[in-house]
Amino acid sequence: MARRPKRSHNGGPPLDEYKGPPWGKGDPYIFLAWQAAHAKAWKAPSREVMLLRMDRAERLGLTYEEYTLEILERGRHLREEDTERISAIKAARKRRRVRHLD
């Protein structure tokens, strides 16, 4: 009988050094679904889409990566009216920089 995953487990593949099949001890279908979803999410967009995102990110004062990650995580494009979310992203950027120096 398979063990139930912990409450905080996201169902993804194992991260430890495992010497078995790439999907671990779980269901291969889940592994393949995660692999396909990851490839689809991080597939390079067309040149036009990339330029559009770069332009919007620059106007908002964000990096291309921050703007794209917001689209992937939240499923929405930021606008000038989203000042609270933009300031939260910039504050997280400063925290990452400080943490990196430690």
Side-chain angles (χ1 to χ4, degrees), residues 10-22:
N10 64 2
L15 299 177
D16 57 349
E17 296 295 326
Y18 175 70
K19 300 290 187 220

Side-chain angles (χ1 to χ4, degrees), residues 21-91:
W23 53 84
K25 298 174 187 170
D27 187 5
Y29 175 78
I30 293 174
F31 174 79
L32 295 174
W34 270 85
Q35 199 174 39
H38 182 272
K40 183 179 177 184
W42 288 104
K43 179 181 150 193
S46 66
R47 182 179 187 275
E48 292 77 22
V49 170
M50 191 178 298
L51 290 174
L52 178 71
R53 288 181 185 172
M54 285 175 60
D55 181 50
R56 288 183 180 174
E58 187 176 311
R59 278 191 279 133
L60 297 172
L62 300 173
T63 65
Y64 172 80
E65 289 81 12
E66 290 169 339
Y67 185 78
T68 302
L69 191 59
E70 185 69 19
I71 295 169
L72 292 174
E73 284 182 343
R74 307 229 186 310
R76 58 186 299 260
H77 296 265
L78 292 173
R79 291 180 271 149
E80 286 82 7
E81 299 86 41
D82 299 323
T83 54
E84 288 180 28
R85 182 65 192 143
I86 293 169
S87 60
I89 293 171
K90 290 179 180 178

